[in-house]
Amino acid sequence: MKQYVLVHGGCHGAWCWYKVKPVLEASGHRVTVLDLTASGVNMSRVEEIQSLEDYTKPLLKVLESFDSDDKAILVAHSLGGPSVGLAADMFPSKISVAVFVASFMPDITNPPSYTFEKYLESFTEEESSNMEFGTYGTHERPLTSVFLGTKFLAKYMYQLSPVEDFELAKMLVRVGPAVTSNLTGTKSLTEEGYGSVTRVYVICGEDKSLTKEFQRWIIDNFPVKEVMEIKDADHMPMFSKPLELCDRLLKIADKYA
């Protein structure tokens, strides 16, 4: 029996794993899903998030609660990548493998925000017009919030997902923190912490938000142990290709956990 910990992407919550969790559990494994701070049903407000550690606190608490010999398969989706990177940096001995699914995977030379900031730089006007950015924090240290508009969800993230899951997302997405260097700080994650953890990347082949080319660039920026692909998945493989995603996660467990 292996232990999975599934970490959602920006503006989403633990709810997005509802198809994946029972399949992994039916295969005999334990599965923990959680809401990052100010996500899902977590009662905090985005204004309370002043650092990447603040945002990641619910995940850090889960790993802290593990027995000394427990190890997790830590799975990051999308903007959950920097949080998983931080958790792996702080608890490398509690993680057997970190899996990044169409995710902003940090490296050990740049700030944890690096790949997300590169992504924002590549944004077209049309893409950014369907995302709502706000500011909070102080004049000296302004922080950025982000909300995913319905058009952005429909065109770039959920275009191959069932309409019911798109409806669910429209009801449940929340304003979240933009994981920029103002939030994460400019210090990189460490080689002896995060850098020592085995990493696998799962590419989503029909992702229009994090394009396949951009996912390849993320991998080239910090090469991983293995690259897998789900060819017909949009940015939300837990909805568009849940069984294929579970298949990859089970194979990863067999090989690395």
Side-chain angles (χ1 to χ4, degrees), residues 38-51:
S39 305
V41 296
N42 182 288
M43 297 304 289
S44 302
R45 289 162 59 245
V46 73
E47 290 78 12
E48 295 170 48
I49 300 170
Q50 297 293 316
S51 66

Side-chain angles (χ1 to χ4, degrees), residues 8-12 36-40 44-56 78-80 82-83 104 113 116 120 131-136 143-148 174-184:
H8 63 82
C11 304
H12 285 66
L36 295 173
T37 305
S39 305
S44 302
R45 289 162 59 245
V46 73
E47 290 78 12
E48 295 170 48
I49 300 170
Q50 297 293 316
S51 66
L52 181 59
E53 193 165 339
D54 286 346
Y55 184 42
T56 309
S78 193
L79 201 50
S83 291
F104 297 97
S113 57
F116 182 61
L120 292 180
M131 292 177 93
E132 297 166 30
F133 292 95
T135 55
Y136 68 100
L143 297 167
T144 306
S145 66
V146 63
F147 181 74
L148 301 169
R174 288 176 61 181
V175 173
V179 184
T180 63
S181 58
N182 279 13
L183 187 78
T184 66

Side-chain angles (χ1 to χ4, degrees), residues 23-248:
V23 176
L24 296 177
E25 287 174 339
S27 299
H29 304 299
R30 286 178 296 166
V31 183
T32 300
V33 295
L34 55 96
D35 291 310
L36 295 173
T37 305
S39 305
V41 296
N42 182 288
M43 297 304 289
S44 302
R45 289 162 59 245
V46 73
E47 290 78 12
E48 295 170 48
I49 300 170
Q50 297 293 316
S51 66
L52 181 59
E53 193 165 339
D54 286 346
Y55 184 42
T56 309
K57 207 157 271 176
L59 171 58
L60 302 178
K61 281 184 178 168
V62 166
L63 294 174
E64 275 168 7
S65 72
F66 278 15
D67 292 336
S68 55
D69 53 350
D70 282 348
K71 278 183 180 279
I73 299 155
L74 199 48
V75 181
H77 176 244
S78 193
L79 201 50
S83 291
V84 162
L86 178 67
D89 205 45
M90 293 174 73
F91 299 104
S93 65
K94 292 187 175 184
I95 296 158
S96 54
V97 56
V99 185
F100 294 87
V101 180
S103 178
F104 297 97
M105 180 175 66
D107 57 42
I108 53 172
T109 49
N110 298 290
S113 57
Y114 177 67
T115 54
F116 182 61
E117 290 186 318
K118 285 287 179 197
Y119 171 71
L120 292 180
E121 286 171 20
S122 73
F123 249 32
T124 65
E125 201 173 316
E126 187 197 352
E127 287 169 317
S128 57
S129 70
N130 286 307
M131 292 177 93
E132 297 166 30
F133 292 95
T135 55
Y136 68 100
T138 62
H139 184 66
E140 294 75 38
R141 188 164 167 267
L143 297 167
T144 306
S145 66
V146 63
F147 181 74
L148 301 169
T150 300
K151 283 183 182 170
F152 188 87
L153 292 172
K155 187 170 180 182
Y156 297 104
M157 294 177 71
Y158 283 77
Q159 85 276 7
L160 298 176
S161 294
V163 66
E164 296 89 345
D165 295 319
F166 174 51
E167 286 299 324
L168 188 70
K170 286 195 287 183
M171 293 173 195
L172 296 177
V173 290
R174 288 176 61 181
V175 173
V179 184
T180 63
S181 58
N182 279 13
L183 187 78
T184 66
T186 54
K187 211 169 132 203
S188 65
L189 302 174
T190 65
E191 190 169 357
E192 59 277 11
Y194 169 61
S196 70
V197 173
T198 300
R199 288 168 297 108
V200 175
Y201 201 100
V202 180
I203 290 174
C204 293
E206 294 297 325
D207 193 333
K208 288 189 173 179
S209 173
L210 228 64
T211 62
K212 191 171 171 180
E213 293 70 33
F214 196 85
Q215 292 175 71
R216 288 276 177 201
W217 174 83
I218 289 172
I219 295 162
D220 290 343
N221 178 59
F222 194 44
V224 296
K225 190 86 171 173
E226 186 172 350
V227 178
M228 295 179 168
E229 184 173 343
I230 306 171
K231 281 191 164 51
D232 299 322
D234 58 17
H235 187 63
M236 307 301 295
M238 62 282 288
F239 297 136
S240 60
K241 291 289 173 184
L243 295 180
E244 289 83 349
L245 176 58
C246 290
D247 170 70
R248 306 305 186 275

